[in-house]
């Protein structure tokens, strides 16, 4: 984990230039869809349109990463926007599912607790001058599972057909795997952050003794 660099440049790209790259514009578009997604689920309960928006979000999620590599437009801003969009879609879906009784409260409590734990750890990390940790493969796998679980849970909610009978076990499996991996990735982030802060504090104390 590295110390945070001073703001203002990212590979000689200003913040305004980073905002206008194709991958980041797609990420901003995904973020703009979050309140629409939540409204579709809680307002008119247009689950079909909400599902279509969630699928579109998943496609643009894959596309912005692909374009960032192809166009050589990977930026620090993009590294923040991309996971932020994923987390907001997951949070919005969990909130709507909790209100509508699609998932039990304790599932939401565990996942929200994970976010609070990581968020507090990141505040401590920034206070010590470190950049945020990179997304781990465990975290990516957790998001992958949850992004499959959410539409499957929506599809199988409050209906009884042969299709839902077949799909429902997969919905529960993706939810369970995603939740476990999501919590585990949070534990890994906190462990990384604790090590970085501890080593940084030890280094600072050593320097003061030498001085």
């Amino acid at each position: 984990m590295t110390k945070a660099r001073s703001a203002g440049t990212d590979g000689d790209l200003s913040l305004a230039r980073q905002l206008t790259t194709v991958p980041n514009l797609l990420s901003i578009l995904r973020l703009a869809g979050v309140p629409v997604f939540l409204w579709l689920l809680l307002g008119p309960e247009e689950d079909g349109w909400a599902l279509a928006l969630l699928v579109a979000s998943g496609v643009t999620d894959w596309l912005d990463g692909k374009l960032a590599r192809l166009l050589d437009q990977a930026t620090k801003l993009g590294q923040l926007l991309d996971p932020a969009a994923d987390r907001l879609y997951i949070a919005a879906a969990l909130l709507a599912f909790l209100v509508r009784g699609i998932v039990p409260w304790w599932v939401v409590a565990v996942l929200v607790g994970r976010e609070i734990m990581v968020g507090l750890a990141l505040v401590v990390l920034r206070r010590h001058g470190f950049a945020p940790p990179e997304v781990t493969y465990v975290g990516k796998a957790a998001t992958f599972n949850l992004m499959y679980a959410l539409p499957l849970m929506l599809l199988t909610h409050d209906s009884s057909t042969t299709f839902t009978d077949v799909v429902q076990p997969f919905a529960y499996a993706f939810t369970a795997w995603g939740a476990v991996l999501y919590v585990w990735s949070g534990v890994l982030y906190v462990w990384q952050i604790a090590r970085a802060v501890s080593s940084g504090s030890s280094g600072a104390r050593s320097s003061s003794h030498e001085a």
Side-chain angles (χ1 to χ4, degrees), residues 1 121 124-125 128 130 192-202:
M1 200 171 291
V124 174
L125 188 69
H128 286 77
F130 286 94
Q192 281 182 284
I193 290 168
R195 286 188 61 188
V197 170
S198 177
S199 62
S201 299
S202 298

Side-chain angles (χ1 to χ4, degrees), residues 36-48:
V36 180
F37 174 69
L38 186 59
W39 173 77
L40 287 169
L41 288 174
L42 291 180
E45 295 191 4
E46 292 285 354
D47 294 347

